[in-house]
Amino acid sequence: MRALDRVEYRLAVDAEARDRIFNLRYRAYLREGAIAPSDDERFTDPVDDQPNCLIFGVYADGDLAGAIRISLTVPGLPQVPTASVFPDDILPQIEAGLVLVDPTRFVADAAWSRELPELPYLTLRLPWLAMEHFGADIMLAAVRPEHYPFYRRLWGNTVVSAPRLYPGLAKPVLLSQLDYGKAAPRVHALYPFFRAREDERETIFGAGVIAWPSVAGRQAPRARPV
């Protein structure tokens, strides 16, 4: 909770903020051997420009320390990036009308990872808060097999599919997921800092920050009450 006081979440909407995050991604993925070097030292893909994609910077003491990308299934825009890799597991859930949160491109600055060991937990608060705010049903986590135990311990994720190659990455990822309604009581009891602070979700995701598309009279996911 003390570490949380040092952190600010910012939605990257301008070109400069996005560019800094793309460079942070590049350095993080290159350090892990997941991508090849490139002259522009940026790591981005077409998903970054999709309307149902949110790119967040995590700032510690005002400095960019981490970042994460969150995609949501919304009316008219049901696709999320992980569905292209695991369509047999994800598309039936989308077709059943479930609201899915798909966090990807979860990265941290190397120096800040040493300075602030809580950074992974504080970054993953963002998709957790999105689950609650948008009334989502399922959170996906396409992660490298060696990273899966962290998600199992933290949220209780279960493996849905064996590792597959993810476009643009050199190392395969497996698909895990959690049912938010079932997981939330346990997670909130074990990790109270995952609970939203007063008005926090509205500040991050609320009206005036994101305009969700509506298609043929259907409404976007409704936020759960604070």
Side-chain angles (χ1 to χ4, degrees):
M1 296 297 290
R2 289 192 297 271
L4 185 57
D5 290 333
R6 302 176 61 182
V7 165
E8 179 186 1
Y9 302 123
R10 303 179 193 172
L11 181 65
V13 292
D14 62 78
E16 181 180 358
R18 289 165 61 93
D19 189 63
R20 289 188 65 198
I21 288 174
F22 296 156
N23 175 253
L24 175 62
R25 273 189 203 166
Y26 172 81
R27 289 184 282 115
Y29 276 87
L30 186 66
R31 189 168 62 246
E32 292 291 321
I35 60 172
S38 67
D39 292 337
D40 65 357
E41 297 186 346
R42 301 295 184 272
F43 184 34
T44 182
D45 60 51
V47 173
D48 290 319
D49 296 318
Q50 292 179 351
N52 60 333
C53 169
L54 313 174
I55 300 172
F56 284 97
V58 180
Y59 292 78
D61 300 341
D63 188 30
L64 180 63
I68 196 166
R69 180 173 73 185
I70 302 174
S71 299
L72 296 99
T73 57
V74 298
L77 294 169
Q79 278 287 354
V80 290
T82 303
S84 65
V85 184
F86 301 95
D88 45 338
D89 298 292
I90 296 174
L91 293 183
Q93 299 185 76
I94 296 174
E95 292 166 0
L98 297 179
V99 177
L100 277 58
V101 169
D102 186 13
T104 53
R105 303 296 188 251
F106 169 27
V107 295
D109 176 80
W112 270 111
S113 293
R114 294 188 293 271
E115 167 71 18
L116 193 65
E118 302 89 348
L119 186 58
Y121 298 91
L122 299 177
T123 303
L124 287 173
R125 283 188 80 240
L126 279 164
W128 186 264
L129 294 177
M131 290 287 297
E132 182 178 11
H133 185 73
F134 295 106
D137 303 292
I138 300 294
M139 187 192 296
L140 306 173
V143 299
R144 300 223 310 259
E146 61 267 32
H147 294 165
Y148 166 69
F150 171 78
Y151 290 84
R152 184 186 62 217
R153 291 192 302 268
L154 182 65
W155 286 331
N157 286 39
T158 57
V159 174
V160 178
S161 183
R164 300 178 186 178
L165 284 175
Y166 197 107
L169 300 181
K171 298 183 179 181
V173 297
L174 60 77
L175 177 62
S176 72
Q177 67 179 45
L178 66 89
D179 181 313
Y180 177 81
K182 294 179 179 178
R186 169 189 171 273
V187 172
H188 288 158
L190 288 175
Y191 309 107
F193 64 88
F194 273 110
R195 289 185 178 274
R197 295 180 169 186
E198 184 177 2
D199 298 328
E200 183 179 25
R201 291 188 287 106
E202 289 298 324
T203 300
I204 298 172
F205 304 109
V209 177
I210 304 166
W212 293 107
S214 61
V215 177
R218 295 172 61 193
Q219 295 182 344
R222 182 184 304 171
R224 289 190 171 99
V226 178

